[in-house]
Amino acid sequence: LATFAAAVISSRMGLRRKLLLGIEEERGGRRGAGNAIANTGVAAVAAVMGALTYAHDAALLAFVVALAAGGSDTVASEIGKAWGRTTYLITTARRVRPGTPGAMSLEGTVAGILGAAILGSLAAALGLIPWTFVPLVVLAATIGALVESLLGATLEPRGILNNDILNFVNTAVAAIVAVELAGFL
């Protein structure tokens, strides 16, 4: 619910500017079912794995990280589009228009990192993960977002991937990175 709330609230923030620039989400700034499935699909699989397999702790970490990655990426994107002053393409570091696939702004990036930290901290406060794993959640969510931006800059403009697939990849990469790094801890 916290991830959903973060997505809904951040999608509405700065909506007037997003509308003026033509970069708001369709349906008046609301995200659709495809986006919801893309951002929660990995978490749903992790939840089932946590209930049905011996790898409960790893699945629970993947669940938390996938939701934090999806939520923080939405926050980063929406805050970046609403208040990002300068947007750069991840592949070339050239200035580009807000809303360009693969573009990042300082404001959006900071908002995404803070979003991951807040969602990870909430998971720790709820006892889903140890507090010591909150930095891992933030790191994995950030890596997932960077991979998504890289793929978005290179494959989305060509029509190979769309935003929903990129969101799914983001959450999957983040979950895998977190589980692998946790194995070393």
Side-chain angles (χ1 to χ4, degrees):
L1 288 174
T3 297
F4 176 73
V8 168
I9 291 167
S10 63
S11 292
R12 304 278 177 165
M13 295 173 76
L15 185 57
R16 181 175 171 85
R17 178 173 188 245
K18 292 179 227 176
L19 287 166
L20 289 173
L21 293 173
I23 57 174
E24 80 284 357
E25 289 293 315
E26 297 174 3
R27 299 168 300 283
R30 292 186 307 262
R31 293 181 174 270
N35 185 268
I37 292 167
N39 278 315
T40 61
V42 171
V45 170
V48 170
M49 289 178 65
L52 301 178
T53 71
Y54 67 90
H56 178 269
D57 292 342
L60 190 55
L61 177 61
F63 171 81
V64 166
V65 171
L67 289 176
S72 66
D73 179 63
T74 299
V75 168
S77 176
E78 295 299 334
I79 297 301
K81 287 191 278 187
W83 290 295
R85 293 187 181 161
T86 307
T87 309
Y88 299 95
L89 194 60
I90 191 171
T91 54
T92 63
R94 285 189 354 249
R95 286 182 67 166
V96 293
R97 184 176 182 271
T100 301
M104 298 175 70
S105 69
L106 176 62
E107 297 82 0
T109 301
V110 169
I113 291 169
L114 288 174
I118 290 167
L119 291 169
S121 295
L122 178 60
L126 293 170
L128 299 173
I129 60 169
W131 281 99
T132 56
F133 276 20
V134 173
L136 177 63
V137 171
V138 174
L139 176 63
T142 303
I143 290 170
L146 291 172
V147 168
E148 178 185 353
S149 290
L150 181 62
L151 294 175
T154 57
L155 301 178
E156 189 174 4
R158 297 179 193 168
I160 296 170
L161 298 177
N162 66 24
N163 190 58
D164 290 340
I165 293 171
L166 290 169
N167 285 330
F168 184 85
V169 167
N170 170 17
T171 60
V173 166
I176 291 166
V177 165
V179 170
E180 289 299 318
L181 287 177
F184 290 114
L185 301 175

